[in-house]
């Protein structure tokens, strides 16, 4: 056992170095995976932000039309309807500077619901005089998930109108699809209120998990961390928040897929260490037998010496034990010589007595 411990102790520094190296590689792989997820979220965020800004640009161009300039709202209603149909928007709405809806392109000019679809972003545009993107809402007409992009129409430094485009969240889902998200990753887009607008894989409308909500709870422009996906799988996650809309584009990469190579590496190392330990055990047993067998012979010789029996300890191939064996053999010879002398003395004494 002591030889085994001695041999096994030689593996301890190797195990410590391997453990440190594997942990270092694991942390590097984690950092690289989170960085990759963050970079992919930036790329997706750039694509989505470009799409939103293109809608804003089209609305701003519409806001410079002569029809709107001369307040010919009925003619502008027809233009807005035509543009919405060509661009694939659900509808275009026009509100005045106080937030009152003036028309909806999907309805007749004088027959529409005057209730704003998403009043928060409308108030924001009037207050800040800047474009805004609303949160996801359910359209009352057909229950579809939609969002709105709004731009102010300025006259003399004042907000005269607010021009809005209502789009389906499907356009965001198509953007994610066209970006070729890796199969071991999942991408999602969330509005400012934390509602999921789109997801690169089903379930598309699953609510965010608790770990993801905590990651997005900060107002940081970007961030990384480990979250749990809707499928219950751990993921290295990175998110990017779009500056204009406040939306968050999130990308998660499977921890299992990322560390798959480490599992193989750990298996190989475990097999190597087990093999080394087994060889150490075999070597310790062989070496111990080379020591124990000669010691047994020495024990037998010592016992024979004590019983007065003949002693013949052969060469033991171990210098220290050979010295003990030689000493036992010498002691046995001296014992035998002493016995002979005593016998001769006794014989001489008996002869003298008979004489």
């Amino acid at each position: 056992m002591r030889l085994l411990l001695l041999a096994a102790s030689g593996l301890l520094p190797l195990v410590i170095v391997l453990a440190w190296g594997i942990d270092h590689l694991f942390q590097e792989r984690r950092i690289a995976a989170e960085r990759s997820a963050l970079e992919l979220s930036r790329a997706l965020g750039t694509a989505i932000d470009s799409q939103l800004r293109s809608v804003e640009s089209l609305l701003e161009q519409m806001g410079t039309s002569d029809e709107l300039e001369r307040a010919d709202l009925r003619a502008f209603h027809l233009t807005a309807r035509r543009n919405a149909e060509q661009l694939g928007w659900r509808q275009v709405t026009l509100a005045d500077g106080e937030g009152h809806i003036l028309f909806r392109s999907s309805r007749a000019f004088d027959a529409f619901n005057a209730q704003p679809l998403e009043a928060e972003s409308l108030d924001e545009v009037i207050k800040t005089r800047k474009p805004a993107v609303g949160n996801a809402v359910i359209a009352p007409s057909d229950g579809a998930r939609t969002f709105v992009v709004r731009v102010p129409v300025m006259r003399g430094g004042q907000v005269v109108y607010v021009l809005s485009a209502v789009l389906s969240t499907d356009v965001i889902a198509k953007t994610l699809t066209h970006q070729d998200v890796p199969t071991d990753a999942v991408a999602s887009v969330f509005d400012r209120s934390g509602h999921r607008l789109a997801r690169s894989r089903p379930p598309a409308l699953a609510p965010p998990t608790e770990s993801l909500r905590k990651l997005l709870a900060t107002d940081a422009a970007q961030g990384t961390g480990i979250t749990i996906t809707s499928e219950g799988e751990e993921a290295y996650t990175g998110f990017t928040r779009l500056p204009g809309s406040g939306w968050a584009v999130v990308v998660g990469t499977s921890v299992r897929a990322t560390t798959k190579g480490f599992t193989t590496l750990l298996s190989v190392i475990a097999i190597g260490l087990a093999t080394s330990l087994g060889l150490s055990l075999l070597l310790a047993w062989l070496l111990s037998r080379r020591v124990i067998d000669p010691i047994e012979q020495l024990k037998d010789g010592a016992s024979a010496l004590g019983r007065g029996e003949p002693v013949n300890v052969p060469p033991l191939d171990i210098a220290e034990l050979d010295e003990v064996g030689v000493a036992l053999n010498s002691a046995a010879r001296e014992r035998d010589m002493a016995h002979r002398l005593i016998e001769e003395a006794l014989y001489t004494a008996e002869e003298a007595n008979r004489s």
Side-chain angles (χ1 to χ4, degrees):
M1 181 59 67
R2 291 175 180 174
L3 287 173
L4 175 61
L5 293 176
L6 179 62
S9 64
L11 297 176
L12 183 60
L14 177 61
V15 172
I16 294 175
V17 172
L18 285 175
W20 176 84
I22 291 174
D23 180 71
H24 182 69
L25 290 174
F26 182 82
Q27 295 301 327
E28 283 191 346
R29 180 65 64 88
R30 171 184 174 178
I31 294 173
E34 290 181 346
R35 185 185 301 115
S36 177
L38 180 60
E39 290 175 353
L40 182 55
S41 72
R42 289 173 181 167
L44 293 175
T46 299
I48 294 173
D49 190 58
S50 297
Q51 189 173 23
L52 296 177
R53 292 189 181 280
S54 67
V55 175
E56 292 177 2
S57 298
L58 292 171
L59 289 173
E60 289 173 352
Q61 292 178 6
M62 292 174 59
T64 61
S65 68
D66 294 336
E67 298 163 344
L68 195 59
E69 182 69 27
R70 62 176 181 266
D72 188 355
L73 300 186
R74 188 176 294 274
F76 185 69
H77 172 267
L78 297 176
T79 300
R81 171 178 291 184
R82 183 171 58 253
N83 290 339
E85 292 174 351
Q86 292 175 350
L87 296 171
W89 300 346
R90 289 178 59 87
Q91 63 176 322
V92 173
T93 65
L94 183 69
D96 60 20
E98 296 180 354
H100 303 115
I101 302 299
L102 301 177
F103 71 71
R104 299 181 184 276
S105 65
S106 59
R107 296 289 185 269
F109 177 74
D110 52 358
F112 58 89
N113 182 5
Q115 183 67 28
L117 185 62
E118 201 262 343
E120 289 81 3
S121 59
L122 181 59
D123 295 338
E124 180 182 349
V125 172
I126 296 174
K127 181 179 179 180
T128 63
R129 302 177 183 179
K130 296 179 180 179
V133 180
N135 296 322
V137 294
I138 303 298
S141 57
D142 55 5
R145 289 175 58 83
T146 62
F147 68 95
V148 62
V149 180
R150 305 185 190 276
V151 298
V153 179
M154 308 293 294
R155 298 288 187 271
Q158 299 296 323
V159 178
V160 179
Y161 300 109
V162 176
L163 196 56
S164 307
V166 180
L167 295 86
S168 171
T169 56
D170 291 342
V171 300
I172 305 300
K174 291 178 180 178
T175 301
L176 294 181
T177 303
H178 293 160
Q179 297 301 314
D180 295 329
V181 178
T183 56
D184 60 346
V186 57
S188 298
V189 181
F190 295 89
D191 62 20
R192 286 179 292 183
S193 61
H195 296 121
R196 195 190 302 267
L197 286 90
R199 194 169 187 259
S200 61
R201 68 168 72 155
L205 302 181
T209 60
E210 181 64 25
S211 58
L212 184 55
R213 281 198 294 268
K214 290 181 179 179
L215 182 63
L216 298 177
T218 64
D219 294 329
Q222 61 184 27
T224 59
I226 297 180
T227 63
I228 305 297
T229 66
S230 300
E231 293 82 4
E233 185 177 2
E234 279 192 328
Y236 294 126
T237 304
F239 75 90
T240 299
R241 206 176 301 277
L242 305 186
S245 61
W247 290 3
V249 181
V250 182
V251 174
T253 302
S254 170
V255 172
R256 182 176 57 183
T258 303
T259 58
K260 184 177 180 180
F262 278 96
T263 304
T264 304
L265 177 62
L266 289 175
S267 300
V268 172
I269 292 175
I271 293 173
L273 291 176
T275 303
S276 299
L277 189 60
L279 291 175
S280 299
L281 178 61
L282 177 61
L283 181 61
W285 182 82
L286 292 175
L287 292 176
S288 67
R289 297 313 305 173
R290 291 192 60 187
V291 175
I292 291 174
D293 291 344
I295 290 177
E296 292 292 337
Q297 292 179 323
L298 290 178
K299 287 170 59 179
D300 294 340
S303 299
L305 179 65
R307 294 191 300 267
E309 298 175 353
V311 176
N312 183 18
V313 179
L316 303 176
D317 296 331
I318 299 178
E320 294 80 0
L321 298 184
D322 280 335
E323 292 178 0
V324 177
V326 169
L328 287 176
N329 290 332
S330 299
R333 287 193 298 270
E334 292 175 358
R335 178 204 63 187
D336 295 340
M337 184 178 295
H339 286 170
R340 286 194 299 271
L341 292 174
I342 293 173
E343 289 175 354
E344 291 176 356
L346 290 175
Y347 178 77
T348 303
E350 290 177 358
E351 289 293 327
N353 290 332
R354 285 196 295 267
S355 300

